[in-house]
Amino acid sequence: MKIFKIVVKVLLGLIIVFVLFLFGVYYFKIGRYNVDDQKYPYYIGYLNPQNTFSPEGFILCGDKEAVYKTHHGAPKIAYSPNKGIYDRRIRSNFFKNRFNDSGYINFRFIVNCKGEPGRFETIQTNLNLEETSHNSDLVRHLLELTSNPENWNIFIHENQPRNYYTYISYKIEHGEITEILP
Amino acid sequence: MEKLQKYFLSFVIASIVIACNSNLSEEEQQARADEMINSGNIILSPHFQGSPKMMTYVEEAIALDPESADAWRELSIPYLKRGMPNKWKPLFDKAVELDPEEWQGWRGYLYLYFYRNYKKAIEDFNATDILTPDFDDAPQGQSVNYMRGIAYLGLKDYTKSLSYFDAYINDQANSSGEQYAEVTAFLYRGIVYYQTNDFENAKKDFLKVLKYSGNHYADAHYYLAKCFWKERKKNEASVHIEKAIEDFNLGYFHSRGYVEVLYQIYSQDLEELNNLIKNNYL
């Protein structure tokens, strides 16, 4: 019985030392670094519901509203059925000979677990990637084409449909779509 | 109350960091900033990239050494990957301004692959000729001549595209052997030949792609099928389109992380060509 107690105490001691060691490693590697909450309240790319556009009724799924693919979007899995078909669909429905803008029009957004896109943010630049404003009808037209839910796949992770982040960039030259990126 | 504790802790840590660093000489601060950015810190790993902690960490390195091009570049990358060019560009431009020899070719690489901005990419690639004369730079491990070939292909300037792919492949052949060249250099040069209706040279290059990739490469089989079909050789075209579909389904096709490649192929491209061949449509 006495030996049993000693073994339990030693094991507990070892566990405590191990846990302290893990905490120490975490603190040394990650925890000790500062966070500037004022300048960086969210991760880069976060889409705030307060200043983005969502279709009526759009909500993120899950209690925590977790968003996947925030590292670089979901270019390999997002397009339904694939990017090549998406590209053809957009180009065939795009109003030709109606605009004369050149530059990039980018939409960053989230596709929820039902495959509905929302929280759209628009970034408009010239061909030098400097911020500018393009013809508002052109931007609205591209947003309408992009936000069609038929374009977007549902992302399944661990047998559950999830919210995911993605972005798309239209390169426009003299009013024509020359590239759909990434 | 919890927030107050957080702010207090941040204040204490920041004070310690400033107190420790304020005693450093300028050289020591530069060395410290360099170590923060280039020593493989876990904070800069993909898991933390773009997090408030990572961004703050890089800002602290810049505070120590505002001339650290590597730190400015590091700060820019999350914006690049997340589709925010307006925020990416000024930060990366700063890195180029501080160390053009290191980062101008890189910016060209990013203009090429992320933005398909061929003219801007070529401007940056050409600048590397002046910065490092008589040397073919290789940002992210890719030859500038090879990338100029792709950029001119994007511009449909087939003559210049061909000359840069030739320069790259010949350089590789003379230095270490053409088998060490990017296999996609042969693929793209073959596409240049195909676009200019030089099917004989195109086929030679597509066969080289297969030679250097264990005979499995959907793009090469696809373009071989296209060449043979243009030459009205149905049997050869059928063999290659079937192999293209097989390799595509096995995942042997040209692709990149983060972005698509120029002349990306899709399953429907292969199916459509297969139907044309089967139904004798030219």
Side-chain angles (χ1 to χ4, degrees):
Chain A
M1 198 60 193
K2 203 176 173 183
I3 290 173
F4 178 73
K5 278 184 180 174
I6 291 169
V7 170
V8 168
K9 280 180 183 174
V10 168
L11 279 176
L12 273 174
L14 285 173
I15 289 168
I16 289 167
V17 168
F18 183 66
V19 170
L20 283 173
F21 171 75
L22 288 182
F23 271 112
V25 168
Y26 175 80
Y27 177 77
F28 183 74
K29 293 276 187 190
I30 299 158
R32 69 186 170 125
Y33 296 115
N34 204 8
V35 174
D36 184 343
D37 289 324
Q38 297 295 315
K39 190 164 184 182
Y40 298 108
Y42 304 107
Y43 60 86
I44 301 303
Y46 172 76
L47 291 165
N48 193 326
Q50 304 305 320
N51 48 29
T52 51
F53 163 76
S54 292
E56 206 177 322
F58 175 82
I59 52 163
L60 294 187
C61 309
D63 294 339
K64 293 181 181 172
E65 299 190 343
V67 178
Y68 288 70
K69 305 285 180 187
T70 53
H71 182 262
H72 60 272
K76 307 278 183 194
I77 58 106
Y79 306 97
S80 177
N82 64 36
K83 172 73 182 299
I85 300 279
Y86 176 86
D87 190 299
R88 287 184 195 182
R89 193 187 296 149
I90 295 291
R91 286 178 201 256
S92 65
N93 289 312
F94 183 72
F95 293 150
K96 290 177 178 65
N97 306 318
R98 196 177 290 192
F99 310 105
N100 195 34
D101 301 60
S102 290
Y104 293 86
I105 297 173
N106 305 277
F107 299 111
R108 305 194 309 111
F109 54 99
I110 295 170
V111 180
N112 69 13
C113 68
K114 297 173 191 163
E116 301 163 342
R119 289 203 189 175
F120 280 91
E121 181 198 82
T122 309
I123 298 171
Q124 303 174 53
T125 73
N126 59 22
L127 288 173
N128 291 328
L129 300 174
E130 297 151 341
E131 276 199 272
T132 190
S133 290
H134 293 296
N135 183 319
S136 56
D137 288 341
L138 167 63
V139 177
R140 198 176 308 117
H141 177 46
L142 281 174
L143 178 59
E144 277 171 13
L145 293 176
T146 307
S147 61
N148 182 349
E150 284 180 14
N151 293 326
W152 307 107
N153 278 324
I154 293 173
F155 169 57
I156 306 286
H157 178 67
E158 293 178 346
N159 298 320
Q160 289 290 323
R162 311 282 182 170
N163 310 307
Y164 65 91
Y165 168 80
T166 200
Y167 75 92
I168 193 148
S169 176
Y170 297 96
K171 186 180 177 193
I172 311 288
E173 291 176 278
H174 308 295
E176 297 298 323
I177 297 173
T178 53
E179 305 281 354
I180 301 179
L181 306 167
Chain B
M1 187 62 190
E2 198 183 315
K3 250 189 171 175
L4 199 68
Q5 281 178 343
K6 216 172 158 186
Y7 284 136
F8 179 72
L9 190 63
S10 297
F11 174 76
V12 170
I13 294 168
S15 304
I16 293 167
V17 169
I18 291 164
C20 290
N21 291 328
S22 62
N23 293 328
L24 299 177
S25 68
E26 196 177 325
E27 288 75 19
E28 285 169 332
Q29 288 192 19
Q30 287 169 350
R32 172 81 186 113
D34 185 57
E35 187 200 336
M36 285 174 74
I37 298 300
N38 292 317
S39 63
N41 194 307
I42 195 170
I43 288 288
L44 300 177
S45 66
H47 181 73
F48 291 98
Q49 197 169 51
S51 66
K53 200 176 267 287
M54 175 266 185
M55 298 301 280
T56 306
Y57 176 83
V58 179
E59 292 262 15
E60 284 176 3
I62 290 172
L64 283 169
D65 179 13
E67 307 286 296
S68 169
D70 293 2
W72 285 103
R73 177 258 173 196
E74 198 70 51
L75 198 65
S76 78
I77 296 305
Y79 297 109
L80 170 85
K81 291 180 179 173
R82 291 164 201 191
M84 304 163 79
N86 53 329
K87 299 274 177 64
W88 165 77
K89 185 173 161 57
L91 299 172
F92 205 96
D93 283 354
K94 183 78 179 170
V96 173
E97 180 192 317
L98 291 167
D99 189 355
E101 208 169 296
E102 181 66 25
W103 296 116
Q104 190 147 10
W106 258 89
R107 188 175 59 187
Y109 163 89
L110 298 174
Y111 277 143
L112 175 63
Y113 288 113
F114 279 78
Y115 301 109
R116 301 262 177 108
N117 199 324
Y118 309 116
K119 289 179 184 168
K120 301 283 290 177
I122 290 165
E123 277 172 28
D124 277 343
F125 295 146
N126 289 346
T128 66
D129 291 342
I130 298 160
L131 292 162
T132 54
D134 305 321
F135 178 70
D136 183 19
D137 289 73
Q140 186 74 333
Q142 289 207 345
S143 145
V144 157
N145 281 337
Y146 163 78
M147 289 192 285
R148 267 191 285 223
I150 299 174
Y152 279 111
L153 176 58
L155 288 173
K156 297 185 169 44
D157 185 336
Y158 300 123
T159 308
K160 281 190 175 166
S161 178
L162 188 60
S163 74
Y164 281 111
F165 283 127
D166 281 346
Y168 167 69
I169 291 168
N170 292 340
D171 192 35
Q172 289 293 311
N174 293 333
S175 58
S176 45
E178 73 168 21
Q179 68 271 30
Y180 293 103
E182 296 269 354
V183 75
T184 48
F186 297 107
L187 176 67
Y188 278 132
R189 192 172 67 175
I191 290 172
V192 173
Y193 283 130
Y194 175 82
Q195 296 290 14
T196 51
N197 296 322
D198 183 349
F199 303 124
E200 277 312 308
N201 276 317
K203 285 189 290 185
K204 280 181 195 165
D205 272 339
F206 298 136
L207 288 170
K208 278 194 178 167
V209 174
L210 294 173
K211 179 182 173 186
Y212 296 129
S213 55
N215 208 33
H216 287 291
Y217 211 113
D219 306 58
H221 282 301
Y222 171 63
Y223 277 101
L224 276 167
K226 281 169 84 87
C227 288
F228 282 119
W229 193 231
K230 287 271 186 188
E231 293 171 336
R232 303 188 179 206
K233 292 177 179 169
K234 184 171 179 173
N235 289 343
E236 290 92 334
S238 297
V239 167
H240 284 290
I241 195 60
E242 279 170 23
K243 285 184 177 171
I245 292 168
E246 201 178 300
D247 281 350
F248 186 89
N249 291 336
L250 289 169
Y252 298 123
F253 60 90
H254 189 201
S255 65
R256 293 182 69 82
Y258 304 131
V259 292
E260 291 197 305
V261 294
L262 192 64
Y263 287 86
Q264 184 76 60
I265 60 168
Y266 305 97
S267 56
Q268 60 268 19
D269 300 328
L270 311 183
E271 294 299 340
E272 282 164 11
L273 181 60
N274 196 21
N275 287 337
L276 288 179
I277 295 167
K278 273 184 183 163
N279 296 310
N280 289 320
Y281 288 125
L282 267 177

